[in-house]
Amino acid sequence: MTRSILIALSVVVVYTAGWFYLASMAKDRVRAELTKAAGQENSLECQSLSARGYPFSMYISCSGFNYRDQNQTLNAATSAVDVGASLFSFRTVKTQLTGPAAVALSGVNPIKANWNKLQASARTDGRTAQDISLSAENLHLQSVKTDTDSKAPILSLQEMQFDLNSLEEPLKLKITFDDLQLIGDTPLASLPEMDGLIDISSPASLASFKEPDENGSVLRGKALQLNQVLFFLPSGASISLNGPVTVDNEGLTNADLKIRLTNMPALGQSLQAAFPDQVKNINTVIFALGSMPKDESGATIVPVLIKEGKISAGFIPLGRVPRL
């Protein structure tokens, strides 16, 4: 009995020593990566670096995180960051972020963000990340011009789930969200909360969209398949569209889309509440759409064709998509 206890204690001591040794190695690796990033003129700061998760997980934590790339096109900062994995599934790396956060991209206004819960995970095979997932609860996004600009509308999401197959393989992207709403001084704030789904695929990888061509465009020469883009209102009204979209090497958009509308009266009422000065025009459009083809469930089907940037619904020209 005594021998068994001694063996058990020895195992615990050895395991504990091994865990803290690996934690020390992990922290050293992070410090080395931070130094490497600084050598490449990127600014990457992890405040109060520590390890936690003993005994069955290992997470590297920062009490604050800041990043700025060498071209200063991206600046990001957030509160605590935890990155790590369970020792039983060490190839799946999990990340938890604590808000608030701020992100600034060159050419656009900075975005402030906050949330109750924000988690991400990815499976690694030593070369690239696979099965990338991000989930958020009670997410709020606000685009601001200055730190004191508190009147900018806030995009609010009760829940969001983002799933991506890989950074390097042909794109398969799906986003679902609940209770999407704009809050603030904007007509769209009168629209009801919406649920939705965005399901997109492409023969190009997500990584290829990060490399602009000589014209500064990341979309030229790309093709997307909108498998389903759906917005669903509490009244039962919905708007969905699907079809292929391509952008040629000259920046002209081509698409063959099918828009599906359900519960047209409820949809019209929601639009009238958001744009009261356009009630007459909205009624005219709703009436015209009533004559469009219907599917077997009675939903209105609107075919939209974009040819070299020119948009038309049936035989009705609607305008142009700017050259991208």
Side-chain angles (χ1 to χ4, degrees):
M1 184 69 178
T2 302
R3 184 179 178 183
S4 299
I5 293 175
L6 288 175
I7 292 174
L9 288 174
S10 298
V11 171
V12 170
V13 169
V14 171
Y15 178 85
T16 301
W19 188 96
F20 282 99
Y21 174 74
L22 291 174
S24 178
M25 289 181 60
K27 290 191 292 183
D28 289 343
R29 176 66 181 273
V30 171
R31 293 189 184 99
E33 291 296 327
L34 293 173
T35 302
K36 180 180 178 181
Q40 296 173 344
E41 299 183 1
N42 294 318
S43 176
L44 188 61
E45 181 184 3
C46 173
Q47 302 168 7
S48 302
L49 179 66
S50 63
R52 66 173 187 83
Y54 177 84
F56 300 123
S57 300
M58 184 176 294
Y59 286 87
I60 301 300
S61 301
C62 305
S63 62
F65 182 82
N66 299 277
Y67 172 80
R68 182 177 68 249
D69 68 4
Q70 58 182 339
N71 299 318
Q72 297 193 21
T73 57
L74 171 63
N75 292 268
T78 187
S79 299
V81 177
D82 297 310
V83 181
S86 166
L87 298 182
F88 301 108
S89 56
F90 60 90
R91 291 191 179 277
T92 299
V93 179
K94 298 182 179 180
T95 302
Q96 181 165 315
L97 301 176
T98 302
V103 178
L105 293 168
S106 61
V108 298
N109 294 330
I111 296 175
K112 290 184 176 180
N114 208 346
W115 53 84
N116 286 350
K117 186 177 183 181
L118 182 62
Q119 295 181 320
S121 67
R123 181 174 55 84
T124 62
D125 59 6
R127 296 174 300 170
T128 184
Q130 306 280 341
D131 301 331
I132 301 164
S133 176
L134 177 111
S135 61
E137 294 180 6
N138 198 22
L139 175 66
H140 292 80
L141 303 173
Q142 185 179 34
S143 175
V144 294
K145 297 179 181 178
T146 66
D147 291 339
T148 58
D149 186 4
S150 60
K151 295 183 178 180
I154 298 174
L155 179 67
S156 171
L157 288 164
Q158 186 62 36
E159 291 187 2
M160 183 193 73
Q161 179 68 40
F162 171 98
D163 294 295
L164 174 68
N165 62 321
S166 171
L167 297 176
E168 304 295 339
E169 298 175 353
L171 176 68
K172 293 181 181 179
L173 170 67
K174 182 179 288 187
I175 302 172
T176 59
F177 55 85
D178 295 333
D179 296 343
L180 169 68
Q181 187 178 30
L182 270 175
I183 303 169
D185 186 16
T186 170
L188 294 177
S190 299
L191 290 173
E193 297 175 344
M194 291 183 287
D195 299 340
L197 164 68
I198 300 173
D199 185 352
I200 299 174
S201 57
S202 172
S205 67
L206 184 64
S208 69
F209 284 87
K210 297 169 58 179
E211 302 172 0
D213 62 13
E214 62 274 11
N215 298 295
S217 173
V218 298
L219 294 175
R220 293 190 179 192
K222 301 294 195 306
L224 292 174
Q225 177 67 37
L226 306 183
N227 300 313
Q228 186 175 29
V229 178
L230 169 66
F231 298 94
F232 189 81
L233 280 65
S235 63
S238 68
I239 303 173
S240 66
L241 63 95
N242 62 75
V245 179
T246 61
V247 180
D248 64 22
N249 293 327
E250 301 300 320
L252 296 175
T253 302
N254 295 274
D256 186 2
L257 304 175
K258 182 169 70 174
I259 300 178
R260 184 176 183 273
L261 308 169
T262 65
N263 200 341
M264 294 292 294
L267 183 59
Q269 291 174 6
S270 296
L271 293 174
Q272 290 169 7
F275 306 100
D277 56 336
Q278 297 293 324
V279 170
K280 185 176 180 180
N281 291 333
I282 292 171
N283 285 336
T284 300
V285 171
I286 295 297
F287 178 79
L289 290 174
S291 62
M292 299 296 288
K294 306 289 192 300
D295 64 12
E296 61 277 3
S297 66
T300 299
I301 305 300
V302 183
V304 174
L305 184 67
I306 305 176
K307 188 172 183 179
E308 295 184 345
K310 298 178 181 178
I311 313 173
S312 61
F315 297 103
I316 305 173
L318 299 178
R320 296 185 62 92
V321 177
R323 190 185 296 267
L324 302 176

